[in-house]
Amino acid sequence: MNQVDYLRISLIDRCNFRCQYCLPQGAELDYILRQELLTHEEIITLLKTVFIPLGFTKFRLTGGEPLLRPGVVDLVQDIAALPATEDLSMTTNGFLLSSMAQDLYNAGLKRINISLDSLKPETFETIIGYNKRGIWQQTWNGIQTAYQVGFDPLKLNVVVIPGVNENEIEDLAALSIERNWHIRFIEFMPIGNAELFSDNAWVPSEEIRQKIRDKWGLMESNIKGNGPADVFKIPGSKGTLGFISQMSECFCDRCNRMRLSADGWLRPCLLNETGQIDLKTLLRQGTDTTEIKEKVAHLLHIKPEINYKQRDSGTETGIYQRTMSQIGG
Ligand code: SAM
Ligand code: SF4
């Protein structure tokens, strides 16, 4: 059985973008009230008394947009300072990064994934649901700043959407040739955006690989990350290309993670809506942390069964109740 040692921690469900694959278009979301967010102290307590004693050593901060969380730099500092933390990373849309990258790095964040679905400002604006002038440039500046500050590896996440950014696959892949950047192509999943999703709404990773292979050739890379990406590279390039194929392949047997939502729900499997534990309520009711740890240990124990047998439980309609921004993608 895979060691589950990786926790993705959502810091906030709010976001300054409205990406069409992430949020239902037009609909207002019920945001988590500030008092319902796990506090800084609650997150640290859960790490120290529950997750680290159970063997978790790798943490990723996400959202929503994690850089919108007040006090995010302090939180990075405190998590990085925990002796058990082997790996601390963040997934961000990069919009606020140019002013925050240095502070985050100094606080102990060394790895970062930035979402960048297009190199064309207009297409970018269509995807992220905002047509504010300069928004692509500001995001690109954020990526450049992170690179200069020294984030290594620096990964760019691309969700490929047919008819929207599919024709940029080669241009985005080319970013890995001259720089040690890792471009990760993610198959679009039907989470939180049922109206956009149809059988041909996603591009299989193999199709993406073939386009790149046709242009430059493609070889398997010996660099492997913590996650489910299959890693390749263009021969002679400095960076790599990752493919996250949750639609066309099942990688549940490699799953090493759990997700903690900004309001404290611990989710054993991205696709399962029913097997979660409400850690925030337990903490605020004064439940002893030993007891909370036992509950999480039990969830870890039954996680393989949840992964395989109850994967889509709670989603019989094919529609997930929470969006990626709410789950903490
Ligand atoms: N706001 C940050 C960002 O966009 O990087 C972090 C949160 S976002 C939910 C994390 C990742 O989930 C992003 O790389 C995004 O592209 C991906 N994502 C969101 N919705 C998705 C979907 N329906 N299918 C596949 N990936 C998705
Ligand atoms: Fe926001 Fe990230 Fe979702 Fe885009 S993918 S709407 S940036 S949370």
Side-chain angles (χ1 to χ4, degrees), residues 119-151:
L119 293 169
K120 298 180 187 158
E122 270 178 36
T123 309
F124 184 74
E125 288 167 19
T126 306
I127 296 173
I128 68 159
Y130 276 118
N131 52 3
K132 201 169 144 231
R133 254 178 94 84
I135 205 160
W136 179 87
Q137 190 61 51
Q138 179 157 343
T139 303
W140 183 249
N141 293 348
I143 294 169
Q144 296 291 345
T145 310
Y147 183 47
Q148 281 148 18
V149 157
F151 281 98

Side-chain angles (χ1 to χ4, degrees), residues 13-19 21-23 63-65 93 115 128 324-325:
D13 59 335
R14 287 170 196 266
C15 189
N16 38 7
F17 290 2
R18 287 198 67 93
C19 300
Y21 49 73
C22 179
L23 298 177
E65 176 44 43
N93 63 30
S115 298
I128 68 159
M324 282 295 259
S325 66

